[in-house]
Amino acid sequence: MEKLQLRDLIVPGAKDDDYISDVAQTKRALELWTMEPGFQVAFLAAPEEALAAHGLSIDAQSLRILVCKEEAEEYRNFLPEELPQTAGRYRGFIREKFRQRERMVRSDCVPSQPAFRAWRTRQLNRCWAELGRKNGAMIHAPLMFELNLGCSVGCPFCGIAAGKLQTVCRYDEENRTLWRGILSYMKEFMGSAAGSGTCYYATEPLDNPDYEKFVRDYFEILGMVPQITTAVSMRNPARTKALLEELHRMEPAIHRFSVLSLDILHRIHRYFTPEELLYVELLPQFPEAPFCRFSNTGRAHEMGEGQADYDGDTISCISGFVVNLAERSVRLQTPCAASAAHPTGEYFVARERFSDLEDFKRVVAQITETFLKAELPKDKPVRLRPGIEYGMTEEGISFCSRKRYQLKFSGSDDIHPDIYQRVLTAIQTGGSPREIAVALLEEDISPAYTFFILQKFELAGLFLEEYE
Ligand code: SF4
C-alpha cells in the first residue's frame, strides 16, 4: 500500500482544509467516544449513522482502528503513514503532539541558569522513580504565573486543592509595570525557558478579566504563547473563542478545556466546530463520561471515601517557580507522589512574599542561593533517597522502585563494575563525598572515579536534597 503523506499541523500557516477537517472530525468522534454516554454502543451497532447523527462524515473503519481493541491490535505495529488515511492523519497529529512535548521537556523548558538547570534535571529524574510512567507526560515547566489568588470554579476533584477566589490582579499601570519587569527579569535569569510555562496554575485563567492583556505582554517579552487550560470555556464563549483565535495567531499551540459536565460538553460541541477545536484538548471531568478519571490527589482524594492509599499520583507538572501576582508571592516547588504529608502531590521547597520588582529579584536570588545547588556539596553527608531499592549486578548496580522504574549503572573498561559497587557501599556509611573519597582511596580507588560516580547518582535524583 502506498504510504500516506502526513503533514504537521501545529505550525504557522497549516492550511489544507480537507486534511484539517479530517483530523478535527476524528478528534470530535473520539471526544464522543470518551465522553458521551451511549455513543460507543450506537457506533458499534451502526457506525455511519452514529457519526452522521453528530454531523461527522469521517471513515468509520479508521475510527474503529483508533478505538476498538480488535482493529487496534491488527494495526498495532503500523506507522501512521501505513494506516488508512483518516486513522493515519489522526495518529500523525498525535505523534506531532508527542514530539512537541518531548521538545518542551528536553529543550524549551531547560533553564540556562546552571544551578536551576541542574536542580530541575534532578527533580525530573527523581520523578521517574517516584511517579513511574506518568512522569513521561510531565514537562517540568520552570516558571508559571498565577494572575489571581484562588479559583472561582471550586471543582470538587481539584487535584491541587485550589482555595476560593480571593482576589485578581488587575492590569493597571502599577501592575503592568511590575509584570513587564518580572517577565524581563525572569528571561534574563533563566533564558528563553521563561516562556515555556503558563499564566495559570492553581487558578482559573479566565477569572481574570485582564488575562488577554497580561498574555500580550508575555508574548511580546518572552516570545512564546502561554498554554491555557480553562474550566469555564462556556462562561463567556465569545471571549473564549476570541482568545483562542488571538493565541493561535501569535503561535499555534495546544490548549485545553476541562469539561465539567455532560451539559457543558454539549454546549461546547454546539458552539465550536470541530475545526475550531482542533488545537484544544477536551478533558473529561464528569462521572458519566466513559473515560473520566480523577487523579487521586488533593480534593479528589478526599472525595473518594475509602481511598486510603494515594497511589503516588500528582497533577503538578512544574519543577520551578510559581509567581503569584495577585498575592505578590513566589514559591519554588516540584511534583512528588501524593501522600498524607504532600496531599496535592506537590513538594513546596520555598515560599516568599515580595513587595515590588527589586524585592522580587531579591527573593528569586535568595531562593536560588539557598535551595538550588549546581553541584553535589563535597562536605555534606550523602543520603540515598528512601523508596528506591538497589542491588549489585554483574555489570554494576541496578536501582528500582515500586513504580516499575529501573536504572542501571554499568561498569566499563575505564571504571570496573566493582568500583560502582564499592562507592554504593561506602555511601551507606553516611559520610560526605570528601569522606567517602578518602575512605575509598585507602582501597586504591581514585577520588576522580568516586566523585564521577557520586555525581552520576546525584544527577539521577538518587540523593535527598539538603532541604529534604
Ligand atoms: S481544577 Fe482548576 S478550575 Fe477546578 S478548582 Fe482546581 S484550579 Fe480551579
Side-chain angles (χ1 to χ4, degrees):
M1 195 169 74
E2 202 180 321
K3 282 195 172 182
L4 287 176
Q5 291 293 316
L6 299 182
R7 50 181 304 170
D8 286 347
L9 296 178
I10 317 170
V11 291
K15 274 211 171 57
D16 185 334
D17 287 349
D18 287 345
Y19 192 113
I20 286 173
S21 184
D22 202 15
V23 178
Q25 286 202 32
T26 308
K27 173 176 170 293
R28 173 138 318 175
L30 287 165
E31 287 161 5
L32 294 166
W33 183 269
T34 52
M35 282 185 270
E36 178 72 48
F39 179 79
Q40 295 185 9
V41 173
F43 176 78
L44 293 174
E48 276 80 14
E49 288 84 337
L51 290 169
H54 292 273
L56 303 175
S57 54
I58 53 164
D59 165 37
Q61 176 59 11
S62 278
L63 188 59
R64 293 184 71 89
I65 293 170
L66 298 173
V67 297
C68 297
K69 211 171 159 193
E70 213 172 283
E71 280 83 351
E73 188 56 34
E74 191 183 329
Y75 288 93
R76 193 154 65 102
N77 296 320
F78 283 53
L79 291 171
E81 288 81 356
E82 297 163 344
L83 292 170
Q85 179 168 285
T86 296
R89 286 173 168 178
Y90 184 78
R91 281 265 170 81
F93 180 54
I94 298 299
R95 183 174 63 186
E96 190 187 352
K97 284 202 222 180
F98 282 146
R99 276 195 199 131
Q100 286 222 345
R101 187 172 71 195
E102 202 50 29
R103 199 193 65 212
M104 296 286 284
V105 177
R106 304 278 157 227
S107 157
D108 295 359
C109 291
V110 179
S112 57
Q113 207 277 354
F116 188 14
R117 184 172 63 236
W119 178 83
R120 176 185 173 273
T121 303
R122 294 198 296 274
Q123 306 321 307
L124 192 155
N125 289 337
R126 168 186 56 79
C127 283
W128 284 113
E130 225 168 291
L131 305 168
R133 281 175 49 194
K134 176 148 203 161
N135 194 36
M138 291 160 51
I139 61 167
H140 293 268
L143 176 64
M144 289 188 175
F145 294 99
E146 293 171 333
L147 303 175
N148 320 314
L149 181 59
C151 172
S152 71
V153 187
C155 303
F157 56 81
C158 183
I160 43 181
K164 285 202 169 92
L165 180 65
Q166 295 179 43
T167 179
V168 301
C169 177
R170 296 307 304 259
Y171 189 82
D172 58 23
E173 199 46 44
E174 184 192 341
N175 287 333
R176 174 182 183 274
T177 306
L178 176 64
W179 171 238
R180 293 179 67 92
I182 288 175
L183 293 174
S184 299
Y185 177 69
M186 291 313 262
K187 187 177 178 185
E188 205 179 295
F189 172 70
M190 66 170 83
S192 60
S196 60
T198 60
C199 292
Y200 74 91
Y201 180 66
T203 53
E204 163 49 56
L206 298 182
D207 276 346
N208 193 309
D210 299 326
Y211 182 81
E212 292 82 347
K213 294 176 187 163
F214 285 105
V215 165
R216 283 173 203 137
D217 285 345
Y218 185 102
F219 184 69
E220 182 194 321
I221 294 170
L222 301 181
M224 289 171 85
V225 162
Q227 181 269 339
I228 189 171
T229 299
T230 176
V232 296
S233 55
M234 299 309 286
R235 186 185 275 173
N236 178 349
R239 179 188 182 196
T240 308
K241 192 173 195 168
L243 174 61
L244 287 175
E245 285 170 2
E246 183 172 356
L247 294 177
H248 193 74
R249 278 195 301 276
M250 289 174 180
E251 182 191 14
I254 300 296
H255 303 283
R256 295 186 298 208
F257 292 172
S258 290
V259 183
L260 303 185
S261 71
L262 189 56
D263 176 56
I264 292 175
L265 175 71
H266 292 161
R267 286 164 57 206
I268 291 172
H269 277 176
R270 274 200 303 272
Y271 190 81
F272 293 96
T273 66
E275 291 76 14
E276 285 168 339
L277 287 188
L278 175 62
Y279 301 98
V280 181
E281 293 174 348
L282 301 193
L283 311 178
Q285 298 198 303
F286 56 98
E288 306 95 301
F291 277 65
C292 172
R293 180 193 172 270
F294 298 124
S295 288
N296 185 11
T297 70
R299 284 204 284 272
H301 178 76
E302 290 161 23
M303 245 168 51
E305 284 167 34
Q307 285 190 123
D309 193 352
Y310 274 93
D311 318 323
D313 222 340
T314 187
I315 63 160
S316 176
C317 63
I318 174 158
S319 282
F321 294 92
V322 179
V323 180
N324 186 301
L325 217 61
E327 184 188 44
R328 298 204 177 177
S329 67
V330 181
R331 352 191 250 279
L332 178 70
Q333 62 179 83
T334 181
C336 65
S339 63
H342 305 288
T344 57
E346 301 164 287
Y347 188 103
F348 297 104
V349 181
R351 192 193 296 256
E352 297 284 341
R353 301 289 286 267
F354 63 91
S355 54
D356 56 22
L357 183 58
E358 286 315 307
D359 202 32
F360 173 79
K361 292 179 186 176
R362 179 193 62 77
V363 165
V364 171
Q366 184 197 312
I367 291 177
T368 304
E369 173 67 24
T370 312
F371 299 104
L372 304 179
K373 303 290 177 213
E375 288 180 5
L376 186 63
K378 298 265 190 313
D379 298 316
K380 301 274 168 54
V382 174
R383 297 167 297 156
L384 276 169
R385 194 168 282 289
I388 301 178
E389 293 176 6
Y390 50 85
M392 310 301 183
T393 64
E394 252 179 49
E395 297 80 28
I397 303 168
S398 167
F399 292 91
C400 63
S401 76
R402 70 182 185 96
K403 285 284 177 178
R404 296 198 197 151
Y405 154 92
Q406 196 174 37
L407 180 64
K408 291 180 178 174
F409 290 90
S410 301
S412 62
D413 290 347
D414 291 335
I415 308 181
H416 192 270
D418 177 55
I419 298 181
Y420 277 89
Q421 296 168 356
R422 285 202 275 165
V423 170
L424 180 61
T425 306
I427 288 171
Q428 287 153 62
T429 61
S432 68
R434 212 182 294 283
E435 288 164 343
I436 292 169
V438 169
L440 290 176
L441 185 58
E442 290 182 12
E443 299 177 24
D444 283 337
I445 295 176
S446 158
Y449 288 161
T450 304
F451 288 130
F452 174 74
I453 292 171
L454 287 173
Q455 275 161 9
K456 280 177 91 166
F457 289 172
E458 192 223 11
L459 203 62
L462 296 171
F463 297 149
L464 289 170
E465 300 282 337
E466 263 183 83
Y467 55 75
E468 287 184 269

